[in-house]
Structure formats: C-alpha cells, structure tokens
Amino acid sequence: MSDISESQHPVLKVAVNVPLSREFDYLPPSGGPVPAPGCRVLVQFGPRRQVGLVLAHADTSELPRAKLRRCLEVLDDNPLLGDNDLVLLRFTSNYYHHPIGEVVAAALPALLRQGKPLHPVVQTIAVTDPGASTDVEALARKAPRQAELLETVCDAGGGGLEAEQLTELLPNWRRVARSLFENGLIRQLEVRSAEFDETLAPAATPGPELNADQRKALEVLRSDIEVGAFLLEGVTGSGKTEVYLQRMQDIVDQGQQVLVLVPEIGLTPQLVARFRKRLGMEPALLHSGLTDIERLGAWRAARSGAARLVVGTRSAIFTPLKRPGLIVVDEEHDHSFKQQEGLRYSARDLAIVRAKQLGIQVVLGTATPTLEMLHHCRRGAYALIRLPKRAGDARPPSIRLIDTARAPANDGLSEPLVAAIRKHLEAGGQALLFLNRRGFAPTLVCSSCGYVAGCDRCDSRLTVHARQGQLRCHHCGATRPLTDSCGECGATVRPLGEGTERLEDALREHFPERTITRIDSDSTQRKGAMADALDQAREGQAEILVGTQMLSKGHHFPKLSLVGVVNADQGLFGTDFRSSERMAQSIIQVAGRAGRALLAGEVLIQTAFPDHAFWSTLIDGGYERLADDALAERKATHWPPYTRLALLRAAAHQRVDAMRFLEIAQQSLQPHCGETLRVLGPVDAPMARKAGRHRVQLLLQSSDRPTLHTVLRQLRLLLEQHPAARKVRWSIDVDPIELF
Ligand code: ADP
Ligand code: ZN
C-alpha cells in the first residue's frame, strides 16, 4: 500500500469470477488504500458484489477515468499471491483459453474465494469447569444425546473442538447443544484458526542405501545440467520414491520448499507416512478430503514457508510457495492430473511451466510415461533418467495370458485363474484381481425379448448394483430399482457380464474360507474406508483383493504375489487414439503390484484375443516397445504428440442448438484452415446424449502450437459474445485426454 494523492491513483486490473475473458478496471477506494497486485478487493459488479483479485496496476483504462468505479473495499493488507503466482495464473488463462477470473477462483481456497480473511476466526466449542465435573452417566440416563455431545467436547480438552470437526463427528450436535449452553456446561469460543506445526512429525529415519541405478539418477538431478524437467522412468518398485526423497532432502536442507503432486487416490496415508517418517517433517496436505479451514491452513503454511514440504493433488499446483526449490510429479501418466470440467488444465503440464518460470527442477516419475513425455525427452526438451530394475531383491513379475475362448470365464473366473489363486494362497501369498468395472454387471437384458435396460437421459446402459438392489447410470447418476422381470414383456431379466461385485461373489463361492476385500469407489464411500481397506491389504489380512484401478496405483502390498487381470479386452478395440496407451499403462501398473517384496510375482491376463499383436509386444518388449510402436503410429497418422489438439464441446437440450453453435464456430475457423490447421466436425460426441443434453464437438488439430492458440483466442472472444451461446453449455479443452 502506498500514500499517493487521488489523481495519481493507478487503475486496478481486476480478475472477477465471471465467464468473460477479460480483466475489469476499477479505482482504489476513495481515500485509499491502494491494493497491490495479488490483493483481493470487493467490487460492485453489475447488481452483485464480488470478490476480485488485483492482477496489475495500469496508468490508463479504455474507459474515461470518470466512468471507472471504485473498489468497495480492500480485503488484504499484503498480497496473497506473488508476482510469480500471478504469472502462472495468467499463463493458465491464456493457454487453456479460460477466463482469468475463473482461473483465479479455481486457484484460491474456497474461504479466500468467498472473501474471508487469510486468518479466519473459527468457532470452537469447549467444555466449561462445571461441564467438566458433571456426572456424564447421570446425564446419559436423562438425555443421552446431550451426554454424548458433552463427552465428545470433554475429550477434546480445554482448547475445544472446531465446530466443523464437531459436525463431522456428530452431524446434528447443534440441536442438542442448546441446553448444554444454557446450563453453562459448554461454551463457544472464537479463536484464530490453528497454525501449521511442522514439528509434529517424528525424527527423520534413514532409508535404504541406494543401489547403483538410483545413485546415478540422483547424481543427474544433483548435477546442474541445463534442462529443468526430468522424466524419471523406472519400472514399478524400482525405487523412484527413494530417489525423490533424497533429492527432496537436499532441497529442504538448502532451506527451500518442495511441492509434490500426486494422483487423487495416490495421496494415501501410506505415502504421507513415508514422507513424514523419512524426512522427519510434517507435510502440508492439500486434497479434496479436507474441510475448508484445513485447506486454508495448509495453503497458508505453503505460502508463508512454514511448511517445507507441500503434498497435494492437482489443484495444489497453484499454491503459492515462499521459497520454491523443487516440484515432484508422482505417477505423471495418471489422468487425475487433468481436470475434466470447468478449467480443463493439466497440473502435470503446469508443473513443468511453473518450474521453468521459477528456474527450479521438476521431476516427473512413472513406470509408464505418457507418449507426450517420451516424445519431449527424445527431442531433448526434457532429460530422461531410467531405473531399469526393481530395487532390493524383488524380481520382475512374469506375465502369462489365459485364452478365455478355450478356458471360459464363469462370472469372470477361468479355471486356470482359480487354480493359480489357490496355489498362491497356499504358498502364503496374496492375490489381487483387477476389473475396471464396478457394480454387479454392466448390463441387464431380457432373456425373452432382448430388451436392454438403458438410461432415459443418456445413451448408455444401466449397471446392475445388486447389493443396493438398483440399476445405476454411471454417467449421470440416475438410479432405478432393480426388478426381476422385463419392463417390456414381463419375462425374466438377467445380468450380463461382470463387475467387481459379481466377481467378489464368485470368489466367495470358490474360496469360502478366505478373507476377500473389494476396493472400488462404491466400497470406499465412507470416510476412512479406503485407508482401512488398504491397511488390511498391506498387513495381509485380506487374502484376496478385488478392485478397480483404485487398487492399481502406487500401493505396496508386501505379500501380494498374484495379479489377475479379469477382462483386458475392453481396451484392445477402443475408439480413442489413446486406448492402447491407456490399457498398457493400467496393465503394467497393476502388474507392478505383484511380487514387490520377497515372493515372486505372477501376472495372469484373461483375454479372448490372445493373438492380438498388443499382447506379444507387451510380453516380449514391455512398455517401452509398446510406446515405440504407438509413437510410430501417431506420427504416421498425425496424432499427438506430433500434432496439437483442442476440442470445442457444446451441449444443449435441443441437438439443433448445439449443432448450430458449432457451425458458427466452424465457419469462423474456415479461413484459417490449411496446412497447419484442420477442423473436424461438428459431429455428435461418442456418447451423444448425457444427462438429458445432446452433446456435439468440433476437433481442432494443428501442427503448429502458435497457430492453434491464435485461432482459439479469436474463437473464444467470438463465442463469448455470440447470442447462440445462450442456449448451450460450451467449453474449450486444450490438449484433451479424452475425445468425448
Ligand atoms: P517406486 O517408487 O519406483 O515404486 P519405491 O521407492 O516405492 O519404488 O521402492 C519400492 C520398494 O523397494 C520399497 O519398499 C522401498 O523401500 C524398497 N527400496 C527402494 N530402494 C531400495 C534400495 N536401494 N535398497 C533396498 N530396498 C529399496
Ligand atoms: Zn444417465
């Protein structure tokens, strides 16, 4: 803030959370203060008051000064975001062609977005002296719910419990609290929210001594070679994490901060515990399971530098850091790094951009690099570091196919697979069965008229969820009761195909005496359920694990020796150009769970197409050969990474409205089409109707990134203003990873 006279007041360039690709000009409040870039302001925007972020100061505005409105209020004394952070936000807005105000909103924790102070006061409930000496048992006889609340608050000690935490423990506590307040047994405090405490962690414990490959990898990271991005490609269990940990230690020792990005379900208590234990410091965690207050607390700790280690999922890439020193992206290939709605950004790609802006290293680790990353390494843009062998004594698993044409799979299980499970269990191992389809069966058909239960609002089939007695649409969430008879002809219906529930049932038939745990998004809805299931799996109590790709990521189950891929054929004939890359990644990842410790690992894959070239390539040449082949094919067919894509999507209740909107877009692009730009469509999306809306799309493909971005910029401005936009929902997706 500065003291300057009114006439010298700068024009403030403010980002406001509205779907318009521009900044808005305001003047500081009369009589000051003048908010610096990075401070929030409250502004009148049309009929509403909005929280905005000052991006820059300017001398002039397109509007005459007299017409500019003043900010109503300045919300921060000091900038929340530094210049580097603002540069990243602007880059994100320009690159993804998304309104800056919405980018800012996506980057800030909810409480800050709502205009709350950086250090909000939190409501806390604490026990009073009379409350502490109350006879809880006597109270319990009269008013059991009051007693329960009093006891919970008592257990929290003198500081009390944050109201938000209390709501998690006892959702309806407020109704019960009144008489406890009136009788003076509990009281409400307003306290400044708790500060981050790094010393909560135990002292650091040393890790294993690095093997030769790991040492070499670390040396490369430590030598100051020019490229800033490093792809650490190491087979599963090769000790990538150990390499990051040592590099992180270096950076922390230099007094700088490390930001680690992990996939959504990669942020397991197991990984966090490993960081905490090895580095002896408490990481600030940023993920979707936090309360707003907790999230803000972690954000603040990153910003102030109080946390030297910041670990988070995708949106953590926007977290301000006081002394950034290193960014690590774990499991670079994981799709959860790309946001698929609203601001469609790739946190992995932004990590590379941000590291470059800051002049720091970024290390991207994976066993199955995306073709994009491999391509950049081959061009020399990024450095490739490889860990070709498993660390310690673990051997790579052997992979074998089971031909389901010869050995039919009943309820998902072929005879050879059942025999292998038995063998491994008897040898003291653990088995994991991977099936990327939750529910009981993906389809319900009538045995008489052939009717297939479909969703009324989507072009999709309903999945049978036998446990809940429901049919569910996995695309829009619609549900219907499950019945025994066909709605069309009254004959008996039967579930066709298998999901994880059915597989679980079939396993219980075969192995009634074994402990079987299913892990998918249905079985882990309760908070903490996932962590409990993983603990059981790791400690070996669960003898057979059944699950979707949730189970395939990053987990380390020491006793696991057999992985069965129940149905691998979905990916062989996929329509998306990334189908085979994706399938190879998920098979290698899940296979990598087998034999990570002492027991030798075995991987069995059930397929009806054992002669498909995909399998021989995978088994003989591994991921590397598959990636080589796929890159050659992409080059020949001009798909990414050899060209760049952007997808313009539109959805409307009437197909004609969505189509007309894209036709307008297509016409405006026509003059730019030629050598460097192709426009394909508009066409119906692969799933043309979803949640009652018709979806159409226009694909832009370009061999030249600047050309693509120039046309996208013009396109965005045209479409934002166009009256046809009022009837549709539309979006631009730059570097889409799914073409639907
Ligand atoms: P990745 O991240 O590549 O999957 P991790 O770093 O998790 O691999 O290592 C896999 C397992 O091997 C872990 O249990 C880890 O403790 C162990 N490990 C890693 N490096 C070594 C080493 N140099 N010597 C012995 N064990 C190691
Ligand atoms: Zn639906």
Side-chain angles (χ1 to χ4, degrees):
M1 267 176 277
S2 42
D3 275 337
I4 40 179
S5 77
E6 289 277 308
S7 60
Q8 290 171 306
H9 271 175
V11 174
L12 307 176
K13 298 283 178 187
V14 179
V16 182
N17 187 5
V18 291
L20 293 172
S21 295
R22 43 172 297 213
E23 296 160 14
F24 297 91
D25 293 352
Y26 286 88
L27 292 173
S30 57
V34 178
C39 290
R40 291 170 303 157
V41 289
L42 192 65
V43 297
Q44 188 73 38
F45 190 88
R48 279 177 304 159
R49 290 176 158 213
Q50 292 252 29
V51 176
L53 185 82
V54 180
L55 296 170
H57 289 175
D59 298 331
T60 55
S61 169
E62 280 171 19
L63 291 173
R65 206 164 242 276
K67 288 216 156 175
L68 290 182
R69 289 187 177 222
R70 293 187 175 281
C71 298
L72 302 170
E73 203 180 317
V74 175
L75 298 176
D76 300 301
D77 296 339
N78 295 303
L80 288 182
L81 300 176
D83 291 345
N84 281 324
D85 305 318
L86 297 177
V87 167
L88 180 67
L89 296 183
R90 255 193 227 276
F91 174 89
T92 304
S93 167
N94 289 332
Y95 185 84
Y96 293 105
H97 299 278
H98 200 80
I100 183 72
E102 294 188 354
V103 172
V104 169
L108 290 180
L111 292 173
L112 296 180
R113 188 161 68 229
Q114 294 155 13
K116 300 274 167 29
L118 184 58
H119 292 272
V121 165
V122 284
Q123 214 190 60
T124 303
I125 312 301
V127 70
T128 58
D129 288 342
S133 53
T134 296
D135 180 352
V136 179
E137 275 171 29
L139 180 62
R141 285 190 289 276
K142 283 190 298 178
R145 313 243 329 258
Q146 286 183 32
E148 187 186 16
L149 174 59
L150 183 60
E151 203 162 14
T152 308
V153 174
C154 254
D155 288 346
L161 258 182
E162 283 179 18
E164 224 174 325
Q165 291 170 322
L166 201 47
T167 304
E168 267 181 26
L169 297 171
L170 304 172
N172 294 320
W173 68 273
R174 284 178 201 274
R175 264 189 259 151
V176 190
R178 174 114 60 91
S179 68
L180 292 182
F181 278 127
E182 281 168 2
N183 296 328
L185 303 182
I186 59 174
R187 65 196 176 120
Q188 184 169 317
L189 308 171
E190 309 265 303
V191 297
R192 213 172 124 111
S193 52
E195 283 310 315
F196 179 80
D197 184 359
E198 195 177 70
T199 60
L200 288 173
T205 48
E209 190 162 331
L210 297 188
N211 62 33
D213 290 322
Q214 288 171 314
R215 278 202 304 275
K216 229 165 57 198
L218 190 61
E219 269 163 35
V220 176
L221 295 178
R222 283 176 174 165
S223 68
D224 277 327
I225 63 175
E226 233 173 77
V227 275
F230 297 80
L231 178 64
L232 182 56
E233 179 188 7
V235 298
T236 49
S238 58
K240 296 181 290 293
T241 312
E242 287 302 324
V243 175
Y244 309 145
L245 280 167
Q246 299 251 356
R247 187 64 187 139
M248 285 154 71
Q249 185 75 58
D250 290 350
I251 301 297
V252 166
D253 289 345
Q254 291 164 20
Q256 292 177 307
Q257 291 170 288
V258 179
L259 171 65
V260 184
L261 296 183
V262 296
E264 256 154 32
I265 50 186
L267 188 46
T268 56
Q270 191 186 358
L271 181 73
V272 175
R274 191 166 168 194
F275 284 149
R276 187 185 280 135
K277 196 167 117 201
R278 288 292 312 285
L279 300 174
M281 61 181 65
E282 193 63 26
L285 299 181
L286 289 153
H287 58 86
S288 55
L290 302 176
T291 63
D292 287 348
I293 287 278
E294 288 169 332
R295 172 166 271 274
L296 178 57
W299 190 90
R300 244 183 359 238
R303 174 181 172 275
S304 69
R308 285 176 294 173
L309 177 57
V310 182
V311 186
T313 50
R314 146 180 101 217
S315 67
I317 189 56
F318 296 114
T319 312
L321 298 166
K322 175 102 170 178
R323 293 178 299 274
L326 173 69
I327 304 178
V328 174
V329 182
D330 192 25
E331 311 289 3
E332 155 296 293
H333 64 277
D334 196 282
H335 284 181
S336 70
F337 287 125
K338 171 94 191 207
Q339 176 143 306
Q340 304 274 27
E341 75 226 347
L343 170 59
R344 291 167 166 78
Y345 67 99
S346 158
R348 181 217 38 214
D349 292 346
L350 288 180
I352 296 170
V353 169
R354 187 171 181 196
K356 191 165 178 196
Q357 283 168 0
L358 295 170
I360 63 174
Q361 277 182 349
V362 55
V363 182
L364 306 123
T366 175
T368 53
T370 51
L371 299 186
E372 277 79 1
M373 286 296 128
L374 284 177
H375 177 62
H376 291 310
C377 288
R378 291 181 185 180
R379 290 194 302 121
Y382 310 153
L384 177 64
I385 309 176
R386 301 192 62 219
L387 296 178
K389 291 193 301 287
R390 284 192 159 181
D393 297 324
R395 302 275 70 85
S398 68
I399 301 184
R400 204 152 51 82
L401 299 178
I402 296 175
D403 181 354
T404 51
R406 291 210 213 135
N410 294 320
D411 291 341
L413 294 171
S414 66
E415 220 10 82
L417 183 55
V418 173
I421 297 172
R422 185 157 289 128
K423 187 185 82 187
H424 279 262
L425 294 182
E426 280 166 9
Q430 201 179 23
L432 183 161
L433 295 184
F434 171 67
L435 175 60
N436 216 2
R437 226 160 26 191
R438 63 198 170 84
F440 186 81
T443 316
L444 187 71
V445 292
C446 171
S447 43
S448 169
C449 74
Y451 163 83
V452 174
C455 179
D456 295 335
R457 309 172 66 217
C458 306
D459 290 334
S460 76
R461 293 174 175 185
L462 294 172
T463 300
V464 180
H465 283 257
R467 305 275 194 281
Q468 290 81 16
Q470 279 182 338
L471 287 169
R472 285 196 200 155
C473 175
H474 286 185
H475 301 280
C476 72
T479 60
R480 239 195 268 165
L482 179 61
T483 52
D484 296 335
S485 53
C486 174
E488 302 283 304
C489 75
T492 318
V493 285
R494 77 197 153 82
L496 194 69
E498 54 275 333
T500 46
E501 283 184 8
R502 187 175 217 164
L503 191 60
E504 183 188 2
D505 290 354
L507 286 163
R508 286 193 198 287
E509 295 261 311
H510 284 284
F511 301 98
E513 73 289 6
R514 301 289 185 177
T515 315
I516 300 170
T517 302
R518 176 166 58 94
I519 298 187
D520 56 29
S521 55
D522 298 318
S523 74
T524 54
Q525 284 197 342
R526 181 178 59 78
K527 201 174 171 181
M530 175 80 175
D532 292 349
L534 288 175
D535 279 346
Q536 278 186 15
R538 200 165 40 252
E539 282 152 24
Q541 287 132 306
E543 298 171 288
I544 305 177
L545 303 167
V546 188
T548 56
Q549 61 181 1
M550 261 193 162
L551 257 186
S552 72
K553 300 186 175 181
H555 308 299
H556 183 63
F557 306 126
K559 285 179 69 185
L560 186 72
S561 58
L562 174 70
V563 167
V565 178
V566 172
N567 179 352
D569 294 338
Q570 292 149 297
L572 284 180
F573 306 102
T575 49
D576 194 303
F577 72 94
R578 282 196 176 84
S579 299
S580 66
E581 175 187 358
R582 205 166 281 171
M583 169 145 123
Q585 286 167 346
S586 69
I587 288 184
I588 302 264
Q589 290 293 340
V590 71
R593 301 309 115 211
R596 282 169 64 94
L598 297 176
L599 297 165
E602 186 177 9
V603 179
L604 295 178
I605 300 173
Q606 297 187 145
T607 173
F609 306 93
D611 298 328
H612 196 289
F614 178 88
W615 297 120
S616 52
T617 313
L618 179 74
I619 292 170
D620 301 339
Y623 186 77
E624 203 177 348
R625 179 97 58 80
L626 271 174
D628 280 342
D629 287 3
L631 274 171
E633 195 184 314
R634 300 265 188 99
K635 187 166 191 180
T637 51
H638 306 289
W639 282 108
Y642 298 94
T643 54
R644 300 261 168 187
L645 299 181
L647 197 58
L648 177 64
R649 297 188 178 88
H653 291 292
Q654 302 296 325
R655 181 174 180 276
V656 48
D657 292 331
M659 265 308 194
R660 200 175 97 74
F661 181 76
L662 290 194
E663 277 156 12
I664 292 164
Q666 191 227 11
Q667 277 155 22
S668 84
L669 292 168
Q670 213 60 60
H672 306 280
C673 289
E675 275 286 287
T676 51
L677 181 73
R678 282 212 303 159
V679 175
L680 301 140
V683 293
D684 284 324
M687 182 188 289
R689 209 163 49 91
K690 183 172 164 181
R693 283 195 165 77
H694 290 267
R695 311 191 309 153
V696 293
Q697 60 189 36
L698 189 68
L699 185 67
L700 285 72
Q701 185 180 36
S702 175
S703 52
D704 179 61
R705 186 156 78 183
T707 305
L708 182 63
H709 283 272
T710 308
V711 302
L712 284 173
R713 190 161 308 119
Q714 292 168 7
L715 184 65
R716 166 119 223 155
L717 291 175
L718 169 81
L719 296 180
E720 269 180 13
Q721 313 289 339
H722 207 285
R726 282 186 214 131
K727 287 186 178 167
V728 299
R729 284 191 188 167
W730 64 281
S731 63
I732 292 174
D733 189 350
V734 176
D735 305 329
I737 58 168
E738 313 227 40
L739 297 188
F740 60 73

